[in-house]
Amino acid sequence: MIFHWKNALNMVKDSGRQYDVIIVTRPDSYLRINFPIDYFNKMNLKDRIYGIDRISLVGKNIFTMDDTFISGDFEVVSSFINNLNIDTPMHYGFAQILMDMGLFVERLEMGCALIRANCRDLESPCFGTISDKRQEWFNAYHAESKMI
């Protein structure tokens, strides 16, 4: 994933176009945005990035962050991506790098559900149904992994 972020960032820079904001999201995300769309234009503060949730403490000096949706000032997000190594651990490593850069994550009023294979036959996908299907998939996957 980091390779693709870096590659996409290089493509944007090589385009010669100037951008104010970068949005990085997973292709398997179904987002429910609870703020006016023009708020993206205001995601320009230099001391933070914007995301699904804040950096969380999950153990003694162990922090994590959600990588499903990241947005912010072009230079800030570019710098964050440039500071990632290809082998940076997801979630934990991302949080540590952000904190080392003196940044934090401002939580956005939005929800995210990850689309899984069991969503293929949904006739009318909506956030609630996709969230339920994701949990169903998660429970089945983890039940299978416990049997191994």
Side-chain angles (χ1 to χ4, degrees):
M1 180 171 80
I2 295 170
F3 169 80
H4 297 295
W5 287 7
K6 287 180 173 286
N7 194 35
L9 181 60
N10 287 334
M11 289 169 51
V12 168
K13 288 179 179 178
D14 291 346
S15 76
R17 296 180 185 256
Q18 297 292 323
Y19 293 93
D20 298 325
V21 173
I22 292 179
I23 298 172
V24 180
T25 188
R26 290 174 47 156
D28 61 347
S29 299
Y30 190 94
L31 301 172
R32 180 181 61 201
I33 298 173
N34 299 326
F35 53 84
I37 201 74
D38 66 341
Y39 186 72
F40 284 108
N41 295 328
K42 299 174 185 169
M43 295 181 188
N44 58 2
L45 297 176
K46 306 285 187 191
D47 63 344
R48 68 194 72 188
I49 64 169
Y50 303 81
I52 296 285
D53 210 350
R54 296 175 185 93
I55 293 174
S56 302
L57 178 65
V58 295
K60 187 175 183 180
N61 295 320
I62 301 172
F63 297 89
T64 188
M65 68 173 277
D66 190 297
D67 66 346
T68 308
F69 180 93
I70 299 168
S71 184
D73 174 79
F74 184 88
E75 293 305 321
V76 173
V77 177
S78 294
S79 181
F80 169 64
I81 292 171
N82 287 330
N83 276 295
L84 297 173
N85 293 318
I86 295 299
D87 59 350
T88 300
M90 302 295 181
H91 310 287
Y92 305 109
F94 290 1
Q96 192 61 55
I97 287 172
L98 270 180
M99 292 186 306
D100 290 348
M101 293 174 65
L103 301 173
F104 68 96
V105 179
E106 180 176 318
R107 184 181 183 283
L108 295 171
E109 292 299 319
M110 63 189 307
C112 178
L114 297 180
I115 300 169
R116 296 296 180 220
N118 60 348
C119 292
R120 285 188 185 128
D121 297 327
L122 292 177
E123 290 185 29
S124 299
C126 67
F127 187 81
T129 306
I130 290 174
S131 292
D132 293 345
K133 288 291 193 179
R134 190 258 178 214
Q135 191 61 48
E136 178 185 292
W137 173 87
F138 182 83
N139 292 342
Y141 173 78
H142 284 284
E144 289 175 16
S145 66
K146 289 178 184 175
M147 290 187 219
I148 297 175

